[in-house]
Amino acid sequence: MQNLSLILVPVLAAQKAAGDGLIKPLGHHELLLVLVQLSLLLLVARGLGELMRRINLPPVVGELLAGVLLGPSLFGLLLPDLQAHIFPKSQEQSNLLSVISWLGVLFLLIVTGLETDLKLILRKGKTALLISLGGIIIPFITGFGLGWLLPDSFLADPEKRLVFSLFIATAMSISAVPVIAKVLMDLNLIRRDIGQVTLAAGMTDDTIGWILLSVVSGLASSGKFDLGTIFHSVSAAILFLAIAFTIGRTIVDQILRWVDDYVGGIAASMSVVLILALSAAALTHGLGLEAALGAFVMGILAGQSRRFSNEAGHMLEVFTAAFLAPIFFASAGLKVNLLALLVPQTLIFGLIVLAVACVGKFTGAYLGSRAGGLSHWEGLAMGSGMNARGAMEIVVATIGLSLGVLNPQMYSIIVMVAIVTSLMAPPLLRWTLSKVVMGEEEARRLEQEEQDSRSFIKQIHRILIPTSGGPNIQLAAQLVGYMAHQNSIEVTSLYALSDKQPRSKARRMEATQVKDTAAEQALASVTEEMQLPADTTLQTKTESGRNKAEVILNEANKNYDLIVLGASEQIRPQKALFNLLVDRVVQEAPCATMVVKSHLPQAKDEICKIPQQQLKKILVPTVGTEYSKNAVEIASTIAAQTGALVMIVNVINLPQVEYILYEQRSLAPVKEIAHDMLEQQAAISRNLGADVKTYILQGTSPEREILKFAKTQEVDLIILGSNIRMVTGRVFFGHRVDAILSKAHCPVGVITVP
């Protein structure tokens, strides 16, 4: 006992000492205030945002005004005690709201990064760089001159006029990418060429601005020029961007792949992007750059990865637009005290600062735009967008105030410039862009993007192809290879095993060896048949489970877009369309499926390689439904690669006499409808790069007419689109599809979407 007490006494004493230094939890009053602040800011911001939307202004205008109304300018004027109670001048309380506001900045930049088309920016890189340089150099020169000429009463320390002038020059040079991005999103312009160039120029502008801010802040702290600080800031920015867009892109893609393969789901995809973005923001902040730079770059890298879930990106965008972005914009407006600006001297010089800021930015961005080959109205639009300063300017003003470079009077002027320029941007952008004539190339790109967003084949990024060998799956692999040459996809080839094992150890070992050999042969055969492009990612897997169907379905649940199956190579059971395994996978698949029946002779060796099929004519029967359109898209993608002709047919027949009126006993209206439907689907086929012909067939039995046409025209492949109908547990596509599957003289593929 004595030994135990000797041990416990020091431990208890240490615990007591540690307890005295425990961090206290957030106080009841502080938590109450921040909850009231958030609810009030969100209510007014969203309310004014919706009001702005009703009068055809972007909601960001209302969100910025919300903070001004809730600050000392109106709320503080009418109910000063209540306003001071809800928004007290307490550093600790202000910090709580600032953290949430900064999350709004970072989330908005992540979403902006996800929407950024890096290829388009690189194509427009010269223009963006010229605009950015113009938008930095001229405002910097005019801002420096302004700082040098302002009266001493606007300086916190008249002895440091050089540092003050550099600070004003930096403040005049900065742009607010979050505000610009929000305005472009609100106006539905972010995918336009002008929108992407504005974002590219704004981000370049801000990157240079953040480097300038780091340098000037270092000068303000030391009170003299420091080449070491300048070198550190510039080299840190260049090094970060260089690493991010080289090995960083590969690392981010591999992380997203791993999470998608081994965790899966929208929540996991969203979480990993947030972790990476916040980590990158912490890294850039630690390097002496702005945290926003890291978040934006990580958003771009995540958006470039094929494994990032579009649904996760949409959820992130909705959450940001509904909560964090309004809080950020409204809290920025809280810092504005319009009453302080009504003092005559402050008002006059405030208007001068505002004019210099606007003229410098407009002139610089306009000249850069013209030098980059943009039109007059595009140049004005660039000036309108780049002129928005937003919360980034407020950050600059806050840093200047904390470093003793700015006094409260000058701080209010710079914040006023930030708010006014941000409010000017939406109506000016709307007006100038209404004068911009969209070029043919841009119109085609936007139309193509719109078509792609509705396209079935363009949404296929990951294909799962289970294999056990045989001509059906080998032909299916050839078709997947053709699709991979037309679309950027990832392919996973899976060999599924059942866990059932023989009882004796010797037989188990023998069975394992046989299965391993069969898996290697089957996977190698499929890989060889696909002949994938060099840049296509291919994974091969051998997985085991309670039964093969469950293995395939478990893998399919990892965010695949299409499962490609081969029909049974053996005699199928009477209660199955293909076989029990394929039928179950088609019924329970979480994504689209394509089952291929080759109608090729079965070789003695199940893995015997089939010849490469020569596809010259591909037949697609259609009835104008969504699943018929999916079949047209698959056939057209294959045809675009093989040079085959797509033959789209529709079978019409006159209804029974007793069901129609005398005036309707004509096929003319039916043929007209069929013609319009075929032309619509032919346009889809041509858009995908295929040669196409349309045919209207007539007969009482569509399946008989289709089979007859296919044989007469010597069709090499039939692609059918169908929906799944449950009949006594088996897959049933309808009697017509079943008949074509069993009676066709050539290979048949059936596309289904759950």
Side-chain angles (χ1 to χ4, degrees), residues 514-703:
V514 171
K515 287 179 178 178
D516 288 346
T517 303
E520 289 178 8
Q521 290 179 342
L523 292 171
S525 175
V526 166
T527 301
E528 186 178 351
E529 292 291 346
M530 282 190 283
Q531 298 182 10
L532 296 171
D535 60 345
T536 300
T537 302
L538 171 65
Q539 286 184 311
T540 57
K541 291 184 176 182
T542 302
E543 302 285 350
S544 61
R546 189 167 57 180
N547 59 63
K548 294 181 179 180
E550 285 194 6
V551 173
I552 295 171
L553 289 169
N554 286 339
E555 180 66 25
N557 278 305
K558 296 177 180 177
N559 294 327
Y560 286 90
D561 304 303
L562 178 67
I563 307 173
V564 179
L565 300 155
S568 172
E569 311 295 351
Q570 307 297 332
I571 298 174
R572 62 184 173 91
Q574 291 184 352
K575 292 185 178 180
L577 177 61
F578 302 110
N579 64 18
L580 295 177
L581 184 149
V582 174
D583 279 30
R584 182 181 172 189
V585 172
V586 171
Q587 288 172 344
E588 301 180 21
C591 59
T593 60
M594 180 168 77
V595 184
V596 178
K597 190 170 184 178
S598 69
H599 291 284
L600 296 174
Q602 175 67 32
K604 292 182 180 179
D605 181 2
E606 196 178 55
I607 311 297
C608 183
K609 187 178 184 299
I610 66 169
Q612 192 78 16
Q613 299 299 296
Q614 300 299 313
L615 301 179
K616 296 180 180 179
K617 296 179 180 179
I618 303 176
L619 176 64
V620 187
T622 180
V623 291
T625 57
E626 188 69 20
Y627 48 81
S628 293
K629 182 180 79 71
N630 296 342
V632 169
E633 291 190 20
I634 291 286
S636 303
T637 303
I638 295 169
Q641 179 60 29
T642 60
L645 173 68
V646 177
M647 310 171 78
I648 308 177
V649 302
N650 176 250
V651 183
I652 61 173
N653 65 300
L654 196 63
Q656 296 293 324
V657 175
E658 59 266 27
Y659 297 120
I660 61 175
L661 300 174
Y662 177 79
E663 293 82 358
Q664 296 174 326
R665 293 178 186 175
S666 168
L667 284 176
V670 181
K671 283 184 177 180
E672 186 178 346
I673 294 171
H675 178 269
D676 291 344
M677 177 182 63
L678 288 170
E679 280 305 308
Q680 286 179 1
Q681 304 218 340
I684 295 171
S685 185
R686 294 188 190 99
N687 185 57
L688 291 167
D691 292 328
V692 60
K693 285 187 178 181
T694 60
Y695 301 85
I696 298 176
L697 308 180
Q698 184 177 340
T700 56
S701 173
E703 60 271 23

Side-chain angles (χ1 to χ4, degrees), residues 11-91:
V11 171
L12 292 173
Q15 288 180 342
K16 183 177 184 301
D20 293 339
L22 285 176
I23 298 174
K24 294 180 181 180
L26 185 63
H28 177 273
H29 183 66
E30 287 81 1
L31 179 59
L32 175 64
L33 275 184
V34 79
L35 292 175
V36 171
Q37 289 172 354
L38 290 175
S39 59
L40 189 59
L41 286 169
L42 191 59
L43 172 66
V44 180
R46 293 292 296 127
L48 288 178
E50 289 303 316
L51 177 62
M52 293 299 112
R53 194 192 302 275
R54 297 288 176 89
I55 59 175
N56 293 322
L57 283 174
V60 68
V61 175
E63 292 165 3
L64 278 166
L65 282 174
V68 177
L69 297 180
L70 289 173
S73 304
L74 183 65
F75 189 24
L77 179 65
L78 299 177
L79 299 168
D81 293 338
L82 183 59
Q83 201 273 344
H85 183 72
I86 296 176
F87 299 102
K89 293 182 179 179
S90 163
Q91 187 63 50

Side-chain angles (χ1 to χ4, degrees), residues 194-462:
I194 192 72
Q196 293 289 297
V197 173
T198 304
L199 278 179
M203 200 62 227
T204 307
D205 193 316
D206 268 9
T207 303
I208 299 172
W210 292 328
I211 294 171
L212 287 173
L213 179 60
S214 302
V215 172
V216 175
S217 298
L219 295 176
S221 300
S222 62
K224 58 181 180 179
F225 278 101
D226 185 355
L227 292 177
T229 302
I230 297 173
F231 177 77
H232 169 78
S233 299
V234 174
S235 59
I238 294 173
L239 184 64
F240 171 76
L241 293 172
I243 293 175
F245 288 110
T246 51
I247 61 174
R249 182 186 305 193
T250 304
I251 293 171
V252 170
D253 189 53
Q254 290 299 322
I255 291 172
L256 288 169
R257 285 175 188 276
W258 186 90
V259 170
D260 200 24
D261 285 338
Y262 295 99
V263 182
I266 296 173
S269 184
M270 186 172 172
S271 295
V272 72
V273 167
L274 291 178
I275 292 167
L276 290 171
L278 294 175
S279 300
L283 175 62
T284 52
H285 192 69
L287 290 172
L289 306 171
E290 283 298 327
L293 177 63
F296 179 76
V297 169
M298 196 54 61
I300 293 176
L301 298 182
Q304 299 298 307
S305 174
R306 288 184 297 226
R307 288 297 189 92
F308 180 63
S309 165
N310 291 331
E311 291 84 358
H314 178 68
M315 286 179 62
L316 191 60
E317 183 177 345
V318 169
F319 177 72
T320 303
F323 175 55
L324 289 175
I327 294 295
F328 159 58
F329 288 116
S331 61
L334 281 174
K335 301 177 184 295
V336 179
N337 185 358
L338 296 178
L339 300 177
L341 298 174
L342 296 179
V343 177
Q345 186 188 28
T346 306
L347 179 61
I348 292 170
F349 281 98
L351 293 175
I352 292 172
V353 172
L354 176 63
V356 170
C358 293
V359 170
K361 203 66 168 179
F362 262 98
T363 304
Y366 179 82
L367 292 177
S369 301
R370 299 294 282 165
L374 299 185
S375 68
H376 167 70
W377 285 106
E378 285 175 325
L380 291 178
M382 291 301 305
S384 303
M386 299 285 283
N387 189 47
R389 266 56 172 214
M392 294 299 112
E393 181 106 320
I394 295 171
V395 170
V396 174
T398 305
I399 292 172
L401 188 66
S402 64
L403 291 174
V405 177
L406 304 178
N407 60 15
Q409 192 178 15
M410 197 64 205
Y411 170 82
S412 295
I413 290 174
I414 292 181
V415 171
M416 179 270 294
V417 170
I419 298 297
V420 172
T421 54
S422 296
L423 294 176
M424 289 168 59
L428 284 175
L429 266 175
R430 185 185 293 276
W431 175 62
T432 52
L433 287 172
S434 67
K435 307 290 185 180
V436 174
V437 179
M438 189 184 298
E440 291 185 10
E441 182 183 348
E442 182 182 6
R444 284 196 300 269
R445 178 180 66 81
L446 292 174
E447 183 182 358
Q448 187 64 52
E449 287 183 1
E450 178 64 23
Q451 291 174 352
D452 289 351
S453 69
R454 300 192 305 266
S455 169
F456 169 71
I457 191 68
K458 294 298 182 181
Q459 306 310 312
I460 294 176
H461 305 294
R462 297 187 67 200

Side-chain angles (χ1 to χ4, degrees), residues 72-110:
S73 304
L74 183 65
F75 189 24
L77 179 65
L78 299 177
L79 299 168
D81 293 338
L82 183 59
Q83 201 273 344
H85 183 72
I86 296 176
F87 299 102
K89 293 182 179 179
S90 163
Q91 187 63 50
E92 292 78 8
Q93 194 69 48
S94 177
N95 288 343
L96 292 175
L97 190 59
S98 294
V99 168
I100 300 170
S101 180
W102 263 105
L103 283 176
V105 176
L106 299 179
F107 271 59
L108 191 54
L109 284 168
I110 295 169

Side-chain angles (χ1 to χ4, degrees), residues 89-222:
K89 293 182 179 179
S90 163
Q91 187 63 50
E92 292 78 8
Q93 194 69 48
S94 177
N95 288 343
L96 292 175
L97 190 59
S98 294
V99 168
I100 300 170
S101 180
W102 263 105
L103 283 176
V105 176
L106 299 179
F107 271 59
L108 191 54
L109 284 168
I110 295 169
V111 171
T112 305
L114 293 173
E115 289 285 340
T116 301
D117 189 336
L118 199 58
K119 292 180 181 178
L120 179 61
I121 287 176
L122 291 175
R123 273 206 316 272
K124 305 286 185 179
K126 178 183 175 183
T127 303
L129 182 60
L130 288 171
I131 295 167
S132 176
L133 289 175
I136 282 283
I137 294 171
I138 294 180
F140 191 89
I141 293 171
T142 56
F144 185 84
L146 177 68
W148 202 257
L149 296 173
L150 281 172
D152 289 349
S153 60
F154 287 90
L155 277 69
D157 185 355
E159 298 297 323
K160 296 182 179 179
R161 183 172 286 275
L162 176 60
V163 174
F164 172 80
S165 299
L166 288 172
F167 219 95
I168 296 299
T170 303
M172 297 298 100
S173 304
I174 208 81
S175 292
V177 171
V179 174
I180 295 170
K182 188 66 163 56
V183 170
L184 292 171
M185 288 179 187
D186 290 341
L187 296 177
N188 197 28
L189 295 170
I190 200 161
R191 297 300 304 169
R192 288 279 304 273
D193 283 2
I194 192 72
Q196 293 289 297
V197 173
T198 304
L199 278 179
M203 200 62 227
T204 307
D205 193 316
D206 268 9
T207 303
I208 299 172
W210 292 328
I211 294 171
L212 287 173
L213 179 60
S214 302
V215 172
V216 175
S217 298
L219 295 176
S221 300
S222 62

Side-chain angles (χ1 to χ4, degrees), residues 471-472 474-476 478-479 595-601 610-615 617-621 707 710 714-720 740-750:
N472 286 335
Q474 289 184 58
L475 176 60
Q478 291 181 13
L479 301 183
V595 184
V596 178
K597 190 170 184 178
S598 69
H599 291 284
L600 296 174
I610 66 169
Q612 192 78 16
Q613 299 299 296
Q614 300 299 313
L615 301 179
K617 296 179 180 179
I618 303 176
L619 176 64
V620 187
L707 289 168
E714 298 181 343
V715 167
D716 303 301
L717 174 66
I718 301 175
I719 299 291
L720 303 168
I740 294 171
L741 272 168
S742 60
K743 301 294 185 181
H745 76 287
C746 63
V748 180
V750 183

